[in-house]
Structures are given as structure tokens and as C-alpha cells.
């Protein structure tokens, strides 16, 4: 597959001219899936030139025409769903059912933003000047550089491409080199749908050949990133010289409050399924659980019992519920977090160790109880299959503990009290809050965080505005 695709520049697939190939590994068995001829600096510059040239016509293409093209992309994606899910599963390790669902959610992005392309509204404001009027309109920001992470290799791509294209921007996208084939599947759908040459470009390769030319170029007017907070901080510094517009979805460390009146069975069923999806490698997953002391024992026991029953295995094997971590580095990182919890007096209830399976990067579903607040499992994003559980009794102290984090992407709570729901939503410092639910990511609602978790929003009617400039015209007749 990689030989047939590679770099997508100016409407066609090309082989990169970089010195070293990109080697893609299957995390479920440690074997090589394939190699890609990497992009060089010249390839990235060619992609930029193509995006700049295509912007002239694309930005003036009507919203209705852009909408029709995005709908056509969605149809191509639907036709390619089965094949795409296989590739997503092999590259990322996630179970096939989760890979299929990710492709569906990615398709939703193109459907949603096809409709948003028709609804880019302006407004008229009464002028103070006699015979005048003020018109507020929106225009595409220009050429966009987009960077995506490996944990959701297609939905992160779709969240950037769909609103950018709907707004009238052109794009150069650089996906994670660990999962490039998944992004290539979307770009093949763009090609089949008839997207004009140069409107969307894909470059795969090392940082020096892809990231650095895009960030340094004055052609790029906006940057969109999904990645670590450290990378986001570096990107802010790197883009300062050319004053680029930025939107970033960065790290998370989501708290979950389980109140004394919670539906415990519902909370457990949803929490276990969410925590161990994609092997815990989800920025909005439930990381640290604060359980009322009256429900603490039952919650820990119920979580452990459910975690023990999870079937860990290769993503394409029937019945697999949790796959591997993405690479050996993540294995070492998760082991360090577990060791730190032990040293600080926490109790490993279930898991806490690697699983030797087919040469893959597997770690057991892990439940840790009595975790102190200064343990890494609570204090930092673990980004793995670790559920860190602690208790609370005093509500005022609870808010100090829950909000004591630089991350503020998502937060959750389980309660049946309407007044408590309102208080919880108001007091949680987070860009997104789930009450008795973990379902936050959908095309029709804004997704994003505050504090060190990022800026800007993806999804919803808000998402398209991150790709548009506001223009005021004072017109006097």
C-alpha cells in the first residue's frame, strides 16, 4: 500500500525524495508493515507552493460547491470503510471495532462540514454614520499547516481537513510517521472525489524535512496541531516570527468524580469501557477517579473485576477488547508510572505488568487504588491502560484536588442530583464536561480544552471559525 501512495502533492501521489525511508511497524507484533519514501525539504516546499497556487481559486469557490465536494469525499470514505479499518487497526493496534468506529466518526466530519460550508454567515450592524452600514463577513485564513498524532490516525486528520476545506482554505498536512497509511486512505478519498489539485496535500517524513519548512514559511497563515503540550509550546515559539494563527488540542488528565448517589453499575460499565479503549491512549479518557468514601470499596472492586475480564490481543483478532501500546517507549513509560505508584504506597489491584504476546507492545489493564495525589498516575497524564483511584469525603477539598492540574481538556462526574450536576459543571475547570457520560467527541459539538490542554475548538459550528478571518466593512452611500 505504501508504495502505491506516499506523498500527495498537487493532486497526485508521488514518492518522496528524502534520504531515509519511513518504516511503519505493527505494534501488535513488532513486525514491519512497510516502508515509505520520506518527504524531503523540496517535497514539502512543493506541497506549499501547490497549496498557495490552489488557494487563489479555492477561496472563491462557492460554499455550495465546496459542500458538494465534501459530500463526495464522505461517499468515497463510506465505500472504503472496511479496507480503511484494517489499516487503522494494523498501524495503531486498536481493535477492529474501534478502528471501524473511528472511520465512521471521520466520515461524519466531512458530512457535517459540508453543511457548514453553506452556512458561513455574516451580519449587518447599524452604522453611526448617516447613510452608512457596517458589514461583518468571514474569509478563509489562507494556507493551513496541520499536524496530527498517532492515537487517532484518521479522525484527527478529518477534524482538520474538513473544516479547513469547508472554510475555503488549502492545506498541507503532516501526519504522525507511525500511522501514515491511515491518513493516506483519507487523501485517496479526496482524490477520488475530485478535489482540485493542490487544495489538500500530504507530506510524510522527518521533522527537519516537514515540520520545520511549514512552520518557518510565511505562506502558512494558520497552524493546527493535535499533540503533546510540550510540542504545542515549541510550536508557539517557532511560529512567533511569522505570527501564525494557532489552534491546538494538547494533553489531558481527566478527573472523574463518583458521588455517593451515583448509579455505580453504570459508572463502572462506562468507565472500564472508556478507560481501556485504545489501550488508554486517548487524550480525553478517564485517568484519575475521585470516589466518595461510602462507595469507594465497591467501586474499586467492581473496576478490578471488570478489568480482569477484558480480552487483550491483536487488533484484528475476533473478540479483542484492548490492543497494544503504540511502541516500546510507551511500555517503559507505563512501567515507570506503575513503579512510582508502588513507591508512594498505592495498591496495585489488577495488572501492573507487561503481557508477552506475539512480540507486541502489550500491557495488562491496570487498576491502582489508594493513589496519593503526588503519584505520577494522578499528577500527570498516563496515556495508557492505568486507572488511578482515590477517595474523597470533603467537597471543598475535592475541588482543590480535582482542579489542581495544568491540564483541562475533559472532566467527568456521576451523580443523579440535578443541583449537584449544575454545581459540578460550573466548578470543574475544563473545556469539556461529561455528566453520567463519556461521549464528548462528535462532529456536531466543539471539542477542545483550556489551560495547558490547548486553544481553539474542533467540531461544531465553532470549528469552522478557527479557519476564518473576520472582516469589517464600513460602507457609506
Amino acid at each position: 500500500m505504501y508504495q502505491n501512495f506516499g506523498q500527495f502533492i498537487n493532486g497526485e501521489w508521488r514518492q518522496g525524495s528524502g534520504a531515509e525511508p519511513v518504516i511503519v511497524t505493527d505494534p501488535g507484533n513488532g513486525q514491519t508493515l512497510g516502508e515509505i519514501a520520506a518527504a524531503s525539504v523540496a517535497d514539502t516546499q512543493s506541497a506549499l507552493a501547490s497549496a498557495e497556487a490552489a488557494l487563489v481559486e479555492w477561496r472563491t469557490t462557492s460554499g455550495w460547491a465546496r459542500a458538494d465536494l465534501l459530500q463526495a469525499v464522505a461517499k468515497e470514505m463510506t465505500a472504503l470503510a472496511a479496507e480503511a479499518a484494517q489499516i487503522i487497526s494494523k498501524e495503531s493496534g486498536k481493535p477492529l471495532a474501534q478502528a471501524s468506529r473511528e472511520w465512521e466518526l471521520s466520515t461524519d466530519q466531512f458530512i457535517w462540514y459540508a453543511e457548514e460550508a453553506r452556512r458561513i454567515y455574516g451580519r449587518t450592524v447599524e452604522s453611526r454614520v448617516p447613510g452608512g452600514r457596517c458589514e461583518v463577513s468571514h474569509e478563509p485564513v489562507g494556507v493551513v499547516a496541520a499536524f496530527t498524532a498517532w492515537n487517532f490516525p484518521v479522525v484527527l486528520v478529518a477534524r482538520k481537513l474538513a473544516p479547513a476545506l469547508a472554510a475555503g482554505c488549502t492545506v498541507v498536512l503532516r501526519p504522525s510517521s507511525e500511522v501514515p497509511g491511515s491518513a493516506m486512505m483519507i487523501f485517496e478519498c479526496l482524490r477520488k472525489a475530485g478535489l482540485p489539485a493542490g487544495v489538500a496535500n500530504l507530506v510524510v517524513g522527518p521533522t527537519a524535512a516537514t515540520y520545520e519548512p511549514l512552520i518557518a514559511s510565511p505562506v502558512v497563515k494558520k497552524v493546527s496541531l493535535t499533540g503533546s503540550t510540550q510540542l504545542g509550546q515549541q510550536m508557539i515559539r517557532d511560529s512567533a516570527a511569522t505570527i501564525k494563527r494557532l489552534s491546538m488540542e494538547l494533553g489531558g488528565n481527566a478527573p472523574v468524580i463518583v458521588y455517593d448517589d451515583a448509579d455505580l453499575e453504570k459508572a463502572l460499565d462506562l468507565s472500564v469501557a472508556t478507560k481501556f479503549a485504545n489501550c488508554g491512549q486517548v487524550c480525553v479518557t478517564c485517568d484519575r477517579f475521585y470516589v466518595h468514601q461510602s462507595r469507594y470499596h465497591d467501586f474499586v472492586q467492581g473496576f478490578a473485576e471488570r478489568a480482569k475480564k477484558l480480552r487483550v490481543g491483536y487488533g484484528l483478532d475476533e473478540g479483542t477488547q484492548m490492543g497494544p501500546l503504540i511502541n516500546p517507549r510507551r511500555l517503559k513509560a507505563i512501567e515507570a508510572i506503575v513503579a512510582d505508584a508502588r513507591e508512594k504506597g498505592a495498591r496495585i489491584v489488577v495488572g501492573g505488568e507487561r503481557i508477552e504476546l506475539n512480540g507486541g507492545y502489550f500491557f495488562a489493564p491496570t487498576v491502582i487504588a489508594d493513589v496519593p495525589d503526588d503519584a505520577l498516575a494522578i499528577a500527570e497524564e498516563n496515556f495508557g491502560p492505568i486507572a488511578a483511584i482515590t477517595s474523597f469525603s470533603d467537597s471543598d477539598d475535592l475541588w482543590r484536588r480535582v482542579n489542581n492540574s495544568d491540564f483541562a481538556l475533559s472532566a467527568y462526574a456521576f451523580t443523579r442530583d440535578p443541583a449537584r450536576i449544575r454545581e459540578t459543571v460550573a466548578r470543574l475547570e475544563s473545556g469539556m464536561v461529561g455528566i453520567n457520560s463519556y461521549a464528548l467527541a462528535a462532529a456536531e459539538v466543539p471539542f477542545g480544552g483550556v489551560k495547558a490542554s490547548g486553544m481553539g475548538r474542533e467540531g461544531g459550528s465553532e470549528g469552522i471559525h478557527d479557519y476564518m478571518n473576520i472582516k469589517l466593512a464600513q460602507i457609506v452611500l
Side-chain angles (χ1 to χ4, degrees), residues 13 26 53 111 125 149 179 207 242 268 285 301 325 336 346 353 449 465 471 475:
W13 292 107
D26 185 334
I111 295 171
V125 181
V179 289
T207 300
T242 49
L268 284 166
T285 196
Q301 184 177 27
L325 291 160
E353 59 191 6
H465 290 288
K471 176 178 281 186
I475 302 172

Side-chain angles (χ1 to χ4, degrees), residues 15 22 24 46 68-69 77 108 145 188 223 256 265 280 339 359 362 366-367 372 380 391-392 394 400 443-444 460 477:
Q15 293 300 301
V22 173
V24 186
S46 178
D68 289 343
L69 275 165
M77 290 180 69
D108 283 349
E188 178 63 2
V223 175
V256 183
E265 293 302 306
F362 294 93
T366 299
V367 179
E380 297 182 7
S391 63
F392 77 92
D394 180 82
R400 178 191 62 78
E444 64 272 19
L477 299 178

Side-chain angles (χ1 to χ4, degrees), residues 20-78:
E20 298 292 333
V22 173
I23 299 174
V24 186
T25 302
D26 185 334
N29 55 30
Q31 297 178 6
T32 298
L33 284 170
E35 295 185 3
I36 301 166
S40 64
V41 172
D43 293 325
T44 302
Q45 291 173 339
S46 178
L48 266 174
S50 297
E52 184 180 25
L55 181 65
V56 176
E57 289 192 16
W58 184 246
R59 69 180 299 143
T60 59
T61 300
S62 74
W64 289 82
R66 295 199 301 268
D68 289 343
L69 275 165
L70 292 180
Q71 289 285 10
V73 173
K75 290 179 181 178
E76 294 293 343
M77 290 180 69
T78 299

